[in-house]
Structure formats: structure tokens, C-alpha cells
Amino acid sequence: MSADRLGSTLKYLLEVRERRGAGYLTLLDPDRLSLTQLEERAVMCAEAGADAILVGTSLMLSTAKNASVFQRLREVVDMPVISFPGDAGQVVPTADAIFFLSMISGRNPELLIGQQVRAAPLLKEYGVEVISTAYMLIESGSLTSTEYMSSTRPMPCDKHDIAMAHALAAEFLGMKLIYLETGSGAGVSVPDGLIRAVVDYITLPVVVGGGIRDAATAREKVEAGAGFVVTGTAVESDPGRLRDLSAAVHIRE
Ligand code: 1GP
């Protein structure tokens, strides 16, 4: 998608949230599908009404493939293809933008600032739009890849004050988005009460992902105040649900 039509990706996302009530982002994992399957899924997401595609993974089994994924997806869909990296090794010049994540729910310095230091000069050289994002992993009751790979503990899902204070600190640090999630493939999604508490306490847009598989749950997250809803596993395992998910997230057309 051309930069002039889009303006910046963040502006586009905020405009989508305003116009449609919330934005629907679909996550594709380059480790799990072939290039052709990724293209097919991206087209299905676009046809179902998704607003942007995220590409990222916990492991990254092929760096060569990762760079071509962004190129190829940008050729087949007319919406932003955004990097959602597990670490600095996933930074590519071919993304429309990157969610520049700092995992503020944990206390692993590598994921708070270490990987960012490695990634920043590359992003400057590549000219990729950087969207500073505070990433908060919330407990789901089971061990997710995100928890294991990050060597961090998730935040308790019933301690709203702790989540609120983290999100406010991220806002004061100048971040642009809060990403609340239980981890890809989690058995449960971020509780609505926690989403509402965070949304009411800060002014930043809140992205919610992890464990969202059906339209009713997606709508609940929007009603709780999510500005953006992310689904990943559903795109892989049940792409027939994409239209319903998209319709549920978009409370206005
Ligand atoms: C991961 O929130 C996303 O960051 C997607 O999670 O795969 O559980 O939909 P799911």
C-alpha cells in the first residue's frame, strides 16, 4: 500500500478506529504457514474486512523467508502489513511499519530495552515507520509460548491497579499504543474488566489479543473499550470465521 494514500500507518489505524468503532488486525505467523498459504490467508483477511495484517512469531525459523513474507503480502493486499516481532532478528526493511514493542509487563531487560537497541539503527536505515507499543502479557492460566520465550511472568489478571499503573507509565514514557494480551493460542482472552479499567485510566488506544476465537468474544472486547482486536490462531485454524470476527469488531461500518 502506497505511503501517500495511507499517510502514516498509525494515522491510518487511528482513522479506522474512529470510523469503524474499532479496528480488526489479523496476525500471521511466518513459521506456521508456507509463503503461498500466507498469501492466501492475507487475501482472505482482506476480503473479510480486516484493517491491517500483523506478521510475527515467537521463534523465527527462517529469516530469509521472513523478509519475503512482507514483500509478498504487500503485493497481494491493499492494507498495511505491520511487523509484530518477537525480537530484533525479525526486523525487515519491507514492512509498512513495526510495533516497536517493549514488554513492560515483565522485568527482562533484554525485552524492555536490549532488543530495541539492536533494532533501532536498522529501522532508521530502512525507513520503516516505528509505532512504540507497550506490550503487557496477562496471565491466562496456562503456559504460553510468549511467557516461556520471554522468560517473564505474566501480570495477574485480577489486579487491575497493577495493569493500570503499567499502562499509565507507558503513556508517560511516550508510547503510542498499549497491547494487552494473554499470548497467542491462550485458552482465554484478556478479561473485559481489566480492559475497561485500563481504557478508562489512560488516553492511549488499547490493542487486545490472545485467545479470541469467536465473534461474541471479539465484540465483548470492543464493548470493554478495545480500540483494536487481534486474532491469530483463528486465521490459521478457522478462516471461515474471519467475516464474523470482522463484523463483530466493526461496530460501525
Ligand atoms: C498474539 O494476540 C495475538 O499476539 C493473537 O493471539 O493466536 O490467540 O489469536 P491468538
Side-chain angles (χ1 to χ4, degrees):
M1 169 169 251
S2 82
D4 344 338
R5 239 199 79 201
L6 188 62
S8 77
T9 300
L10 181 58
K11 268 196 225 154
Y12 161 83
L13 291 174
L14 297 179
E15 182 275 324
V16 162
R17 183 185 63 147
E18 185 63 30
R19 179 167 45 87
R20 311 190 85 177
Y24 180 40
L25 315 179
T26 48
L27 172 67
L28 295 175
D29 184 332
D31 281 346
R32 295 215 186 127
L33 300 171
S34 68
L35 267 176
T36 306
Q37 288 172 322
L38 288 163
E39 281 179 337
E40 285 167 3
R41 294 302 160 100
V43 169
M44 290 172 88
C45 293
E47 287 173 353
D51 300 300
I53 296 202
L54 304 183
V55 177
T57 182
S58 299
L59 272 178
M60 177 54 58
L61 303 176
S62 164
T63 47
K65 179 181 170 192
N66 191 40
S68 36
V69 167
F70 287 87
Q71 187 67 45
R72 297 262 294 262
L73 297 192
R74 287 174 75 187
E75 283 165 14
V76 297
V77 294
D78 190 23
M79 60 179 160
V81 182
I82 301 169
S83 173
F84 179 62
D87 60 39
Q90 293 179 38
V91 168
V92 291
T94 41
D96 282 301
I98 182 168
F99 281 178
F100 195 63
L101 304 169
S102 182
M103 192 166 187
I104 65 164
S105 54
R107 297 297 181 268
N108 179 347
E110 236 344 90
L111 299 181
L112 283 165
I113 185 63
Q115 292 295 315
Q116 294 78 356
V117 169
R118 290 180 211 287
L122 295 173
L123 291 165
K124 185 174 169 71
E125 184 189 330
Y126 298 157
V128 171
E129 179 185 340
V130 170
I131 302 173
S132 304
T133 303
Y135 184 82
M136 293 165 57
L137 183 65
I138 311 295
E139 70 176 353
S140 66
S142 59
L143 180 63
T144 59
S145 303
T146 315
E147 178 179 351
Y148 183 75
M149 293 302 294
S150 66
S151 303
T152 67
R153 294 186 72 183
M155 304 179 73
C157 63
D158 56 347
K159 302 282 191 289
H160 295 182
D161 53 348
I162 292 179
M164 290 156 64
H166 278 72
L168 187 63
E171 179 163 355
F172 288 170
L173 283 165
M175 294 186 179
K176 300 292 189 289
L177 293 178
I178 302 291
Y179 195 125
L180 297 179
E181 91 145 310
T182 48
S184 188
V188 296
S189 54
V190 179
D192 298 347
L194 186 140
I195 297 168
R196 174 51 63 198
V198 168
V199 167
D200 286 349
Y201 195 57
I202 60 168
T203 66
L204 294 179
V206 173
V207 184
V208 176
I212 300 168
R213 310 262 184 284
D214 59 78
T217 308
R219 175 57 69 99
E220 264 174 39
K221 304 307 150 192
V222 175
E223 285 172 353
F228 301 93
V229 170
V230 182
T231 67
T233 303
V235 182
E236 284 164 27
S237 62
D238 202 358
R241 288 204 175 161
L242 283 168
R243 271 181 205 282
D244 285 349
L245 284 162
S246 175
V249 172
H250 297 130
I251 52 179
R252 292 190 292 275
E253 269 316 305

